[in-house]
Amino acid sequence: MDLDKYFVKSELIPAIIQDVKTNQVLMLAYMNRESLKKTLETGQTWFWSRSRGELWNKGATSGHIQRVVEIYSDCDDDTLLITVEQVGNACHTGEYSCFFNKVKFE
């Protein structure tokens, strides 16, 4: 598979992670070529940590892994939607999803 088409605009692309059973959005992370390649090879999510400047395998230390079910790219091939079977919580805060802070608006 030619991964270059996903990295034409940038070395990092956003990856939206979604629970395959509930369709709940669990998190947003970034991937580079290497993390996408490792995800495809292992069937578990790998990301590029912008803050640490290194690859990380989701759940490697916590045990809260994400088993990849399907991967979709958007119409521009610059964003990925990855459906997963989530083991444990997706968020490092202990919440199931990283999206739990409701923004109030008028």
Side-chain angles (χ1 to χ4, degrees):
M1 171 188 278
D2 178 24
L3 302 182
D4 290 339
K5 72 178 185 174
Y6 303 112
F7 301 96
V8 172
K9 296 177 185 173
S10 176
E11 293 180 10
L12 295 176
I13 59 171
I16 302 162
I17 310 304
Q18 183 180 38
D19 185 302
V20 71
K21 294 176 191 158
T22 66
N23 290 328
Q24 183 176 11
V25 174
L26 301 176
M27 58 184 283
L28 170 82
Y30 290 87
M31 294 182 132
N32 63 7
R33 279 180 187 84
E34 186 177 2
S35 63
L36 178 53
K37 185 174 187 268
K38 289 180 86 62
T39 296
L40 293 168
E41 290 172 350
T42 66
Q44 293 186 11
T45 54
W46 285 78
F47 304 108
W48 178 256
S49 171
R50 297 178 301 161
S51 60
R52 295 189 312 265
E54 63 184 19
L55 286 174
W56 59 284
N57 174 222
K58 179 66 178 156
T61 56
S62 67
H64 297 176
I65 63 169
Q66 295 172 336
R67 293 185 188 104
V68 175
V69 176
E70 293 179 308
I71 301 176
Y72 297 89
S73 64
D74 73 341
C75 55
D76 296 321
D77 285 331
D78 62 2
T79 303
L80 298 175
L81 173 63
I82 303 176
T83 59
V84 300
E85 292 176 350
Q86 177 67 48
V87 176
N89 298 323
C91 186
H92 72 281
T93 66
E95 295 289 330
Y96 186 68
S97 168
C98 293
F99 295 96
F100 59 89
N101 290 314
K102 186 173 184 176
V103 177
K104 296 180 182 179
F105 66 96
E106 297 177 327

